[in-house]
């Protein structure tokens, strides 16, 4: 039997679940929080051998998605498939894409990756919509284009409301989102919600140099070589020979959004460099939008002439992203709100040998309720002075902090991505379903 035939045989024995997406040409896929989550779920399916996820994707992003998912500990055709219509007329029309999925992608249920992807209501199998949070409503942007009659947040809110009303299940990552955003802000009945907490992400397979999740001069050099190679390949000339293994830096892995609060890290590091004379830099995965008014970060960099100390490296492949963490002195995630229990950067960084500091919020409170040993590493996300002191403490005691955080990580890792994948499949496939009764008012 050929390799393709073996893959088809293996796949045919698994529960088939669809993943509905509505990306448009030019949209970001690589290194987004939800696409990283999907990768972890697929790896959980690979570990269990029970499920196959079939991802509906527009033609324009197929190769980027394929390259990204190829870095997973999973096999295309066995653990997941990428389903594209190979027809631009279909690919660029989401109602047509739903028709294509109904005819060509047999599944027992659908997982909708974002709650505004409302054309999922046109699908014929049960639909479970992931609802990470209601941040645009809970933390509104001060922008004239957001809240007018056709404002972008108004459109988002209305699309999400349509999706959550019409979906057969709603999946949240935490109790605080289920109750405060799902029930209070969008009126989702409690019986319709399934809370599926994350398992800790583990990047160790992407960083084989990080033996026993520790950092050594040799491992740091190996990670730095990956970062320099990426910089060279992508024309980032000023980083092509940067000594990542010799310079202590804070790693910030997030997008620059209202709640991410990157400004507070910048203010803390500016204080360390200019007032405490600490030799440290910042590297982040978010682009810097100079001239933007919806984020305070670019104006801060310009006003303080600090752009040389905060350096952006965007669209990192998964193995380079792991190297980005491993080379760092520490990671910091200053968000005031996350949809899950805890933050991805803590799990990701500590899994490859780097400790992490986390901004306080309902997400960290839900985490430390079960993992009180992490409480000393949670900071007031409005206190730059306090964060600066905490960063200095970690720099002075890095090995001890990593050991404490790793011990908590190993306890949390008793929940596996197999468990998570199984919970998602259960939410998407179990329960009575009558497609004729589903509300489809917004699925145009």
């Amino acid at each position: 039997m050929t390799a393709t035939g073996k893959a088809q045989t293996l796949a045919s024995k698994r529960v088939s679940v669809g993943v509905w997406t509505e990306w448009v040409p030019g949209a970001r896929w690589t290194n987004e929080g939800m696409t990283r989550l999907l990768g972890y779920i697929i790896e959980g399916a690979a570990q269990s051998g029970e499920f196959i996820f079939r991802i509906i994707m527009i033609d324009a992003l197929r190769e980027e998605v394929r390259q990204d998912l190829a870095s997973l500990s999973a096999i295309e055709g066995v653990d997941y498939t990428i389903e594209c219509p190979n027809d631009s007329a279909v690919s660029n029309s989401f109602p047509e894409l739903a028709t294509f999925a109904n005819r060509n992608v047999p599944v027992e249920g659908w997982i909708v990756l974002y709650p505004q992807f409302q054309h999922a209501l046109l699908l014929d199998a049960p639909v479970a919509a992931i609802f990470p949070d209601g941040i645009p409503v809970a933390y509104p942007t001060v922008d004239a284009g957001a809240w007018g009659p056709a404002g972008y947040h108004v459109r988002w809110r209305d699309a999400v409301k349509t999706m959550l009303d019409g979906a057969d299940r709603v999946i949240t990552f935490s109790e605080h989102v289920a109750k405060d955003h799902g029930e209070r802000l969008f009126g989702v009945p409690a019986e319709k919600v399934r809370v599926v907490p994350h398992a800790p992400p583990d990047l160790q397979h992407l960083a084989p140099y990080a033996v026993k999740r520790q950092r050594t001069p040799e491992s740091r050099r190996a990670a730095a070589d990956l970062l320099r190679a990426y910089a060279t390949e992508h024309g980032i000339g000023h980083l092509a020979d940067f000594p990542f293994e010799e310079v202590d830096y804070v790693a910030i892995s997030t997008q620059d959004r209202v709640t991410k609060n990157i400004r507070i890290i910048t203010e803390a590091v500016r204080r360390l460099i200019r007032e405490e004379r600490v030799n440290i830099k910042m590297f982040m995965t978010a682009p810097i939008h100079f001239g933007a008014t919806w984020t305070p970060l670019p104006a801060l960099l310009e006003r303080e002439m600090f752009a040389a100390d905060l350096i952006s490296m965007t669209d990192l492949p998964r193995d380079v992203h792991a190297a980005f963490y491993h080379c760092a002195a520490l990671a910091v995630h200053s968000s005031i709100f996350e949809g899950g229990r805890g933050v991805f950067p803590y799990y990701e960084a500590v899994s490859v040998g780097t400790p992490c500091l986390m901004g306080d919020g309902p997400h960290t409170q839900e985490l430390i309720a079960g993992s009180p040993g992490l409480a000393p590493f949670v900071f007031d996300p409005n206190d730059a002075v306090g964060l600066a002191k905490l960063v200095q403490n970690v720099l002075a005691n890095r090995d001890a902090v990593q050991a404490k955080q790793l011990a908590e990580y190993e306890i949390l890792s008793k929940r596996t991505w197999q468990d998570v994948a199984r919970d998602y499949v259960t939410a998407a496939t179990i329960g009575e379903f009558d497609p004729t009764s589903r509300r489809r008012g917004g699925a145009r």
Side-chain angles (χ1 to χ4, degrees):
M1 183 181 292
T2 66
T4 300
K6 290 180 180 178
Q8 291 173 341
T9 299
L10 287 171
S12 67
K13 297 179 180 178
R14 301 186 178 200
V15 176
S16 182
V17 177
V19 178
W20 176 258
T21 74
E22 291 185 19
W23 261 260
V24 296
R28 293 171 57 92
W29 171 276
T30 303
N31 207 34
E32 286 289 309
M34 291 302 292
T35 59
R36 280 154 56 199
L37 171 63
L38 178 60
Y40 300 138
I41 295 170
I42 289 171
E43 289 181 327
Q47 293 162 9
S48 72
E50 299 173 34
F51 321 113
I52 180 169
F53 290 97
R54 303 193 181 278
I55 307 163
I56 296 293
M57 178 54 57
I58 63 171
D59 297 344
L61 283 181
R62 173 173 37 205
E63 289 311 311
E64 179 183 350
V65 174
R66 175 162 284 132
Q67 290 177 20
D68 178 54
L69 298 184
S71 65
L72 301 176
S73 296
I75 301 171
E76 183 176 357
V78 176
D79 305 306
Y80 67 94
T81 62
I82 301 171
E83 308 286 349
C84 297
N86 296 317
D87 182 334
S88 59
V90 174
S91 182
N92 295 332
S93 167
F94 294 126
E96 292 291 334
L97 194 60
T99 300
F100 163 82
N102 287 332
R103 290 175 178 171
N104 299 283
V105 187
V107 296
E108 296 186 30
W110 288 94
I111 295 168
V112 184
L113 205 56
Y114 280 95
Q116 67 267 34
F117 291 171
Q118 60 183 321
H119 292 88
L121 298 180
L122 296 172
L123 298 168
D124 288 342
V127 166
I130 298 177
F131 179 55
D133 54 61
I135 281 177
V137 177
Y139 300 92
T141 299
V142 182
D143 186 335
W147 296 106
Y152 56 87
H153 278 335
V154 170
R155 297 195 304 271
W156 181 89
R157 180 200 62 195
D158 293 348
V160 171
K161 176 64 174 171
T162 296
M163 185 72 236
L164 298 185
D165 283 351
D168 304 289
R169 294 284 186 275
V170 173
I171 299 171
T172 69
F173 310 143
S174 62
E175 295 289 347
H176 66 270
V177 167
K179 293 177 181 177
D180 192 47
H181 288 196
E183 293 182 39
R184 184 177 67 84
L185 294 181
F186 284 91
V188 181
E191 61 271 16
K192 190 173 180 175
V193 177
R194 301 293 181 270
V195 177
V196 182
H198 305 318
D202 188 348
L203 308 189
Q204 189 173 35
H205 67 287
L206 298 169
Y209 41 79
V211 178
K212 295 183 179 179
R213 309 188 193 278
Q214 300 300 315
R215 192 177 74 163
T216 65
E218 294 75 21
S219 68
R220 200 176 179 188
R221 189 176 307 113
D225 286 342
L226 276 175
L227 292 168
R228 284 189 287 266
Y230 176 81
T232 300
E233 181 181 350
H234 289 79
I236 312 174
H238 62 289
L239 298 179
D241 58 357
F242 189 87
F244 291 95
E245 67 270 53
E246 298 174 14
V247 177
D248 282 341
Y249 68 85
V250 173
I252 306 167
S253 180
T254 188
Q255 295 304 311
D256 187 11
R257 295 173 182 151
V258 173
T259 56
K260 299 302 183 181
N261 197 29
I262 299 175
R263 172 191 60 82
I264 204 74
I265 311 175
T266 307
E267 291 181 349
V269 173
R270 184 194 62 79
R271 178 178 294 272
L272 289 175
I273 293 173
R274 295 186 176 172
E275 298 181 18
E276 303 296 332
R277 298 295 187 260
V278 176
N279 187 15
I280 193 168
K281 284 191 177 291
M282 301 168 62
F283 280 83
M284 69 177 187
T285 60
I288 301 172
H289 302 280
F290 285 109
T293 58
W294 48 265
T295 162
L297 180 63
L300 172 63
L301 296 178
E302 291 182 315
R303 183 176 65 251
E304 298 293 338
M305 293 184 286
F306 200 63
D309 292 293
L310 193 161
I311 301 164
S312 173
M313 294 186 75
T314 62
D315 300 319
L316 302 182
R318 291 177 191 261
D319 59 336
V320 181
H321 188 231
F324 170 82
Y325 277 128
H326 182 74
C327 249
L330 73 161
V332 180
H333 192 73
S334 55
S335 178
I336 62 174
F337 183 94
E338 292 291 337
R341 295 176 183 171
V343 301
F344 269 13
Y346 158 66
Y347 302 117
E348 293 173 330
V350 78
S351 76
V352 293
T354 296
C356 181
L357 300 176
M358 298 166 274
D360 196 13
H363 54 294
T364 46
Q365 290 302 311
E366 196 165 325
L367 172 67
I368 63 178
S371 302
L374 292 173
F377 311 111
V378 174
F379 62 91
D380 180 346
N382 297 304
D383 182 4
V385 174
L387 175 57
K389 291 178 180 177
L390 196 53
V391 168
Q392 281 189 293
N393 180 265
V394 173
L395 292 174
N397 302 279
R398 188 183 189 279
D399 290 346
V401 172
Q402 168 65 8
K404 290 179 181 178
Q405 293 198 352
L406 183 57
E408 295 290 341
Y409 173 86
E410 289 171 346
I411 294 171
L412 290 164
S413 294
K414 291 178 180 178
R415 177 167 171 79
T416 70
W417 286 102
Q418 290 186 55
D419 299 326
V420 177
R422 190 172 295 111
D423 288 348
Y424 271 86
V425 171
T426 299
T429 60
I430 290 182
E432 296 182 1
F433 174 66
D434 178 4
T436 62
S437 67
R438 179 188 285 153
R439 281 187 262 172
R440 301 187 179 189
R444 292 186 290 271

